[in-house]
Amino acid sequence: MGNETADLIRDELGRLLVYRFGDLKRASQEIGIPYKTLYRAVTENGQDRVQRVPLDTVLEIADALGITIAELYNQAVGGQDYALAAKTRSSNRGETHYE
């Protein structure tokens, strides 16, 4: 999986968490993942961003959201032109911030 795909999935997880819980602080409390770990996993802003998110963390977040990995992937990159999504994703770097 390329970095653009991973970033699209990361963004989708963050978007879904904020949609469901209101913000990442509340999501971290509800899911039971420390805020800093969750923030690092679903954002790319700041020095705290991690390059790779452990699969266990992605699965735990997806499970808390009631979504499968396949559904998450399809929401993030399926159903849209991948090249356009990746280009849009790249042009928005640094602007997405989930709090």
Side-chain angles (χ1 to χ4, degrees):
M1 181 181 315
N3 287 338
E4 292 299 332
T5 303
D7 283 342
L8 288 168
I9 290 171
R10 179 188 304 251
D11 284 349
E12 186 65 11
L13 279 173
R15 187 189 70 75
L16 291 170
L17 285 167
V18 170
Y19 177 77
R20 172 118 185 250
F21 298 106
D23 62 31
L24 291 183
K25 287 184 181 179
R26 181 159 181 231
S28 74
Q29 293 169 347
E30 295 289 328
I31 296 172
I33 296 175
Y35 172 74
K36 192 171 185 178
T37 301
L38 189 62
Y39 181 84
R40 286 177 166 186
V42 300
T43 67
E44 66 174 67
N45 298 324
Q47 299 173 357
D48 283 348
R49 178 185 188 247
V50 291
Q51 292 297 318
R52 297 179 188 265
V53 178
L55 181 58
D56 289 347
T57 302
V58 173
L59 291 172
E60 188 174 354
I61 294 168
D63 186 51
L65 292 167
I67 189 171
T68 66
I69 290 294
E71 290 168 331
L72 175 62
Y73 178 86
N74 285 335
Q75 281 185 228
V77 295
Q80 57 182 310
D81 177 26
Y82 177 77
L84 176 61
K87 182 179 177 184
T88 301
R89 176 73 196 76
S90 293
S91 69
N92 288 334
R93 283 186 200 272
E95 295 177 18
T96 305
H97 186 69
Y98 304 106
E99 283 275 0

